[in-house]
């Protein structure tokens, strides 16, 4: 099985990777992974000795000191144990390439970073500072130092400071994976301890709380802390640990921390009140206790963490597949990418036309409903009224009336009637044009690969619509030519089949009413026009499909392909100028995927190690 150090070191590395992605909160995915990992939050009132406890665990002076609220931003402190003999150093997340070997400079950097966010006021900020310390004198552990609890706002502090600090602390300790290091001074009643109050609220059974009693050496002579340390005063599932803080004189004299740890051990081992507990007291024991407990928590959480990581990997790989590969930088690869994207759009467009996606059926509606309705609405009855027929026939005869069939009048009536078909023909062309334009718009929006490239998307839309305009003009010319062909040549059989008027014995036409004569002419013209209407009802759709729909399927982007082929590398790069939001999204996905895969591999390696 995995060793304690390897498990905790694994969690430290994953947590650090999370912070590199999202600064422990800016990124939802990294925040979710962070929160699935155990950590230890240090909670205590102001001047409770929190800083001294942390410095004792680390074995270094590195935290700011002073009166009032000194810790004004959470400090995420990751301890990494290194081999004996190696130089210890510190690194900040915001300065990843800078190593601090002078720990007084670590203190100054914490102060400077705090002031950057809060100014030199007494305000607090929830944005954490991330610090990693590598030392042979520490155990692998992650601790979060939080601002000290206070009961009232003092001069220079905002009125809501008390509630703000409590809210900040609860944002950490409310999480079930967070262990609580509750710091309480020995010279204070545990019942009134700020840290104990918080832990009781979120962990009433005391299962994830570790009580730490500081300043034991400063208790009044004749008193001791045994009731607390032995669990009689306030019982926790985990044992209380006593700490002897360095005196202010020791701090001022910069007494070596290793020497301070030795004096702490001597205090507990030689003090008659605590000698029987000496092996379970002190900052060194506290660090080992926390590390051991953290290891057991991690071991229990590993299956859930691994399951979460595997689900996240699947989700990220699916999202990256949707976002697409990064854009190539050489002209040939860029041209290939553009052509692939165009073909992807073309596939979607053809699916709309051929029925794989909705929209193409609207073209059928134009031919099956709109065109017949438009043909029926042609005002032929009014145009071939008795009065209009009489006028046209009379004007065509001139000063000599026709003898048998008014051929010239017939031709004029037919030509003028057939001109009415130009309107429905052009309307069909326009209606299909607008359907195709809408399908282009929908196809561009539905082509997932194009969403990355707003410039290319716009250029494809422009090129496709320009092509549709050309197809529309061709469609108009062709359908108008069909109408003009019908009026250019009147089928001869029509005239041969016209009924002849019966002649009298003198060879003159039988007397008939002029009204009946003109009505018969109008009826004959209407009959011929009806025959032509049926023909155009079939040929106009064929012309429209041939000139517009078929060409849109076959050569919608041909002109665009020719233009792209002549573009320089810089112009191709501009076409593949990705949406900045998607670029950022892909980069984040790559980083998270790398993090999760690394975490998965490390978990597998650690859990299967001997």
């Amino acid at each position: 099985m995995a060793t304690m150090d390897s498990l905790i070191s694994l969690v430290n590395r994953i947590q650090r990777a999370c912070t590199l992605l999202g600064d422990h909160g800016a990124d939802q995915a990294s925040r979710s992974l962070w929160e699935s990992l155990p950590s230890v939050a240090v909670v205590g009132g102001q001047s409770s000795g929190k800083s001294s406890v942390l410095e004792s665990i680390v074995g270094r002076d590195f935290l700011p000191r002073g009166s009032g609220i000194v810790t004004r931003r959470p400090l995420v402190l990751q301890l990494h144990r290194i081999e004996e003999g190696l130089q210890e150093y510190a690194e900040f997340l915001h300065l990843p390439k800078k190593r601090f070997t002078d720990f007084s400079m670590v203190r100054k950097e914490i102060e400077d970073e705090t002031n950057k966010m809060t100014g030199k006021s007494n305000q607090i900020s929830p944005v954490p500072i991330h610090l990693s310390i590598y030392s042979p004198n520490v155990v692998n552990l992650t601790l979060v130092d939080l601002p000290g609890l206070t009961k009232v706002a003092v001069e220079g502090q905002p009125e809501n400071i008390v509630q703000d600090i409590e809210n900040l602390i609860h944002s950490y300790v409310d999480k079930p994976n967070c262990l609580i290091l509750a710091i309480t001074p020995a010279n204070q009643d545990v019942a009134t301890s700020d840290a104990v109050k918080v832990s009781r609220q979120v962990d009433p059974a005391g299962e994830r709380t570790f009580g730490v009693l500081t300043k034991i050496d400063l208790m009044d002579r004749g008193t001791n802390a045994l009731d607390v340390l032995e669990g009689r005063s306030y019982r926790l599932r985990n044992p209380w640990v006593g700490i002897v803080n360095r005196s202010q004189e020791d701090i001022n004299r910069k007494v070596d921390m290793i020497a301070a740890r030795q004096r702490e051990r001597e205090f507990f081992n030689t003090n008659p009140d605590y000698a029987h507990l000496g092996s379970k007291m002190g900052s060194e024991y506290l660090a080992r206790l926390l590390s051991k407990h953290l290891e057991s928590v991690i071991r229990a959480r590993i299956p859930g963490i691994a399951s979460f990581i595997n689900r996240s990997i699947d989700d990220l790989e699916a999202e990256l597949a949707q976002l697409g590969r990064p854009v190539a930088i050489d002209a040939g690869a860029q041209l290939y990418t553009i052509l692939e994207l165009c073909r992807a759009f073309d596939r979607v467009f053809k699916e709309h036309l051929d029925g794989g996606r909705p929209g193409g059926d609207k073209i059928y509606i134009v031919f099956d409903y709109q065109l017949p309705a438009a043909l029926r609405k042609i005002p032929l009855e009014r145009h071939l009224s008795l009065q209009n027929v009489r006028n046209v026939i009379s004007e065509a005869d001139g000063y000599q009336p026709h003898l048998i069939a008014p051929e010239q009048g017939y031709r004029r009536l037919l030509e003028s009637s057939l001109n009415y078909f130009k309107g429905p023909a052009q309307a069909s062309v326009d209606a299909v044009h607008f359907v195709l334009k809408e399908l282009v718009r929908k196809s561009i929006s539905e082509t997932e690969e194009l969403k990355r490239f707003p410039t290319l998307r716009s250029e494809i839309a422009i090129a496709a619509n320009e092509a549709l305009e050309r197809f529309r003009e061709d469609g108009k010319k062709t359908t108008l030519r069909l109408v003009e062909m019908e009026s250019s040549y009147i089928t001869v059989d029509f005239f041969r089949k016209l009924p002849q008027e019966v002649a009298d014995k003198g060879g003159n036409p039988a007397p008939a009413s002029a009204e009946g004569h003109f009505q018969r002419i109008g009826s004959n013209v209407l009959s011929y026009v009806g025959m032509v209407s049926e023909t155009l009802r079939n040929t106009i759709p064929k012309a429209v499909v041939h000139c517009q729909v078929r060409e849109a399927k076959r050569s919608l982007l041909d002109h665009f392909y020719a233009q792209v082929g002549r573009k320089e590398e810089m112009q191709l790069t501009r076409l593949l100028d990705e949406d900045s939001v998607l670029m950022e999204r892909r980069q984040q996905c790559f980083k998270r995927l790398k993090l999760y895969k690394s975490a998965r591999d490390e978990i597998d390696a650690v859990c299967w190690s001997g």
Side-chain angles (χ1 to χ4, degrees), residues 2 12 43 115 131 144 152 156 178 273 279-280 295 313 324 344 347 361 406 413 425 451 504 506 538 594:
N12 273 2
V43 181
N115 292 335
L131 172 64
V144 184
V152 293
C178 180
D273 291 328
S279 62
K280 296 182 178 180
E295 184 264 346
I313 288 173
R347 283 194 298 271
D361 56 310
L413 283 171
K451 291 181 178 179
D504 61 16
N538 293 322
K594 184 178 179 181

Side-chain angles (χ1 to χ4, degrees), residues 46 67-69 120-123 150 152-159 161:
Q46 291 182 25
S67 59
I69 304 176
K120 294 187 177 180
S121 64
N122 284 324
Q123 293 180 337
T150 184
V152 293
V154 298
E155 185 177 353
Q157 295 177 345
E159 293 183 2
I161 189 72

Side-chain angles (χ1 to χ4, degrees), residues 16 78-82 86-91 103 132-136 138:
R16 181 165 176 77
Q78 289 191 315
L79 306 181
H80 305 264
R81 184 179 181 84
I82 59 177
L86 294 179
Q87 184 179 31
E88 55 187 343
Y89 65 93
E91 282 184 348
F103 280 79
S132 292
I133 293 179
Y134 299 81
S135 170
V138 299

